Amino acid sequence: MRAGTLRSTAYDDVPYTRGGAVDRTEVGALVRSAVDGDAAAWKALVEGMSPLVWSVVRAHRLSDADGHEVYQTVWFRFAQHLGRLREPDKAGAWLASTARHECLKVLKGLTRLTLTDDPQVLDRASEERTPEQSLIDAEEEADRAERIRRLWQEFEELGERCRQLLRVLIASPPPSYLEVSAALGIAVGSIGPLRQRCLRRLRARMDARGTV
């Protein structure tokens, strides 16, 4: 079994919500069904848990090619170990931990870091509209893009730990603290307080510079 073919695009353009969400309480049952050869259960696992895998990849800021390679490797290894998972209900933590391990392995193998620009909101071709409506839409989109640009600018000024944590936490559906702990190596009891501190820092930076 495999995760399927991904469209050719930078992984930062892949939405955090990817495919249908899976109820965390159903993960164990889906794993057991997938072990028995249920293709629908496997598909539900891939679609529902992919946002978690992508959030870990994003948190480690891999290149497009490396990000897709890690994504495929994680699901390949998951398929290999599917029947040997001791706690099927904690498959999300297994995926997060494996994704983190694969990301760190890629980073360790790099001889140098390649800096990439932050994701930007790009203008897309729109449906035919009146000139007036097009102007209004363009102004609204420009304003929205500027606010998002400022938000990302302030976000990148946070410490590395805060950036990694917030990137993982904004995955949809949101990962459990156990999955976050496995993905980033942070103690479960420290995640909540650290999240609050990071958000307060981000809000303080935005307020100080008038970013709304």
Side-chain angles (χ1 to χ4, degrees), residues 90-104:
K90 297 181 180 179
W94 190 97
L95 286 166
S97 179
T98 302
R100 175 173 179 258
H101 174 76
E102 291 299 326
C103 288
L104 293 177

Side-chain angles (χ1 to χ4, degrees), residues 42-70:
W42 172 255
K43 180 180 179 182
L45 283 169
V46 174
E47 290 183 345
M49 305 301 284
S50 282
L52 173 62
V53 177
W54 279 117
S55 70
V56 176
V57 173
R58 285 187 173 93
H60 288 82
R61 306 297 291 164
L62 300 184
S63 69
D64 176 20
D66 287 339
H68 280 93
E69 183 66 25
V70 166

